[in-house]
Amino acid sequence: MTTTKRKSLSRYLIEEQRVHNNMPADLRLLIEIIARACKHISFSVSKGLLDDVLGNAGTDNVQGEAQKKLDVLTNELFLEANEWGGNLAAMASEEMEHIYEIPNRFPKGEYLLVYDPLDGSSNIDINVTVGTIFSVLKKPESSHNVSNQDFFQKGCQQVAAGYAIYGPQTQLVLTTGRGVHSFTLDTQLGSWIQTQEDMQIPETTAEFAINSSNYRYWEKPMQRYYDELIAGETGPLQKNYNMRWVAAMVAEVHRILNRGGIFMYPTDSRTPGRAGKLRLMYEANPMSMIVEQAGGAATDGITRILDIQPTSLHERVAVFMGSKQEVERVTSYHKEAQK
Ligand code: F6P
């Protein structure tokens, strides 16, 4: 189908509002602005060395990780794009220690936006896929002066979640609770055009993604599951598996949405007292909403991720997400070990 016969993101959103009654006007406008910010990030990222945007910024984020120039730049792009729209009360991001309240010079809205402006940023300098992840929450009605506490909502309360992936094509993958849909950026038109509808993750898979160089730091149930995966058809799972690791969660989840698989970042003894590497509020929650909406599953090894009560903005969580059968298997190993 040619681009002219396909639906634009704007039309998709308007139809969600009008026909399906699934989209308040202010949420629709917010998503349009987020999509515009992602378009801007896509162009900045694609400039690379031409714009001298590669390399480290010389600062660390709140997790103590070195920030790339593009981490800082894309965070600012996201803030600037979203602060004036009138739909948000505040934002929080991987790159900022504290929440960002919408300044008084702009009207304020009822939504909270949580995002990772540039996921997988270690890939940036080598021209490999990166992305932006976002989650939209409703500010609690009881809240007058927005605070961290307002953000501490379980993932199942998200009203929208999505990511943009900056690969050979730029795509936006979005859910507002009625399936998962993808939109490809038509760089000639400058528009997001719907290219996939109601994406579904197959229940079974023979592909997994994990950084296995960390094997010695994993807990026993994770080591058991990995041993069984690589034992292939001669082991207890009686099938050969394939492995992939792009080192950008956006790219792993995108692959899983398109052809199934399981993505894992387990708890790891290198950081005692901290569960895994990934962040609950702006990585695990939005991706779990997408994965569940596409028929997959997501747990921290024991609990459904979307049921975890957050207690801090930057808290970490172990992640097992993707094809249901494999997520259930590795979760059952963790539960058995817990007993
Ligand atoms: O945010 C963290 C992240 O970049 C994820 O996108 C990715 O899955 C992971 O870290 C890669 O971690 P590692 O460098 O340990 O393989």
Side-chain angles (χ1 to χ4, degrees), residues 25-293:
D26 50 356
L27 178 59
R28 174 169 66 75
L29 288 169
L30 174 59
I31 294 173
E32 293 254 25
I33 295 174
I34 294 171
R36 201 175 311 139
C38 292
K39 198 182 340 177
H40 199 154
I41 293 177
S42 167
F43 289 127
S44 298
V45 164
S46 72
K47 288 283 175 85
L49 287 168
L50 292 175
D51 258 9
D52 191 26
V53 288
L54 303 188
N56 286 342
T59 46
D60 286 349
N61 68 14
V62 60
Q63 315 278 340
E65 298 160 344
Q67 286 177 307
K68 298 277 179 193
K69 283 187 200 167
L70 271 170
D71 283 324
V72 178
L73 197 80
T74 54
N75 187 56
E76 278 163 14
L77 266 175
F78 228 68
L79 286 180
E80 279 165 25
N82 283 289
E83 65 179 359
W84 52 266
N87 309 303
L88 287 173
M91 294 182 251
S93 122
E94 177 177 17
E95 305 305 331
M96 303 184 295
E97 186 168 358
H98 304 292
I99 63 170
Y100 178 86
E101 279 184 55
I102 300 301
N104 287 333
R105 62 180 186 281
F106 297 117
K108 295 179 196 191
E110 294 307 309
Y111 292 100
L112 304 171
L113 176 62
V114 197
Y115 62 94
D116 176 356
L118 204 60
D119 171 65
S121 54
S122 67
N123 281 354
I124 260 294
D125 296 346
I126 53 168
N127 198 7
V128 172
T129 298
V130 288
T132 298
I133 310 175
F134 61 89
S135 153
V136 182
L137 296 161
K138 194 100 209 261
K139 181 166 73 82
E141 273 169 23
S142 54
S143 150
H144 298 298
N145 296 322
V146 71
S147 69
N148 280 11
Q149 207 58 39
D150 297 334
F151 283 81
F152 300 159
Q153 301 181 37
K154 291 182 181 171
C156 54
Q157 289 172 271
Q158 293 170 104
V159 294
Y163 64 81
I165 177 163
Y166 314 116
Q169 306 108 44
T170 291
Q171 282 183 295
L172 182 76
V173 173
L174 175 70
T175 183
T176 56
R178 265 184 22 89
V180 179
H181 310 279
S182 94
F183 303 83
T184 301
L185 183 62
D186 183 323
T187 49
Q188 279 167 329
L189 292 179
S191 306
W192 296 101
I193 306 293
Q194 185 165 16
T195 38
Q196 281 159 301
E197 206 177 321
D198 209 9
M199 298 171 86
Q200 287 293 320
I201 300 175
E203 208 167 311
T204 58
T205 184
E207 197 160 70
F208 66 95
I210 193 162
N211 183 343
S212 58
S213 67
N214 298 323
Y215 180 92
R216 65 194 181 284
Y217 303 117
W218 297 338
E219 293 173 334
K220 286 277 175 294
M222 182 61 240
Q223 289 179 337
R224 168 185 170 194
Y225 180 55
Y226 180 81
D227 291 343
E228 291 182 4
L229 290 171
I230 60 165
E233 59 189 9
T234 55
L237 304 184
Q238 295 175 349
K239 115 173 157 190
N240 291 329
Y241 286 79
N242 185 35
M243 196 189 91
R244 287 284 180 270
W245 188 249
V246 188
M249 187 189 199
V250 163
E252 320 285 0
V253 171
H254 196 67
R255 186 185 58 250
I256 289 169
L257 273 176
N258 280 285
R259 67 176 194 215
I262 178 169
F263 165 76
M264 296 170 278
Y265 214 112
T267 297
D268 168 324
S269 64
R270 282 175 302 173
T271 47
R274 288 204 298 201
K277 177 181 185 191
L278 302 181
R279 275 45 71 105
L280 176 62
M281 298 210 52
Y282 39 83
E283 291 178 319
N285 271 345
M287 290 310 206
S288 297
M289 181 175 179
I290 290 170
V291 163
E292 283 200 6
Q293 281 288 316

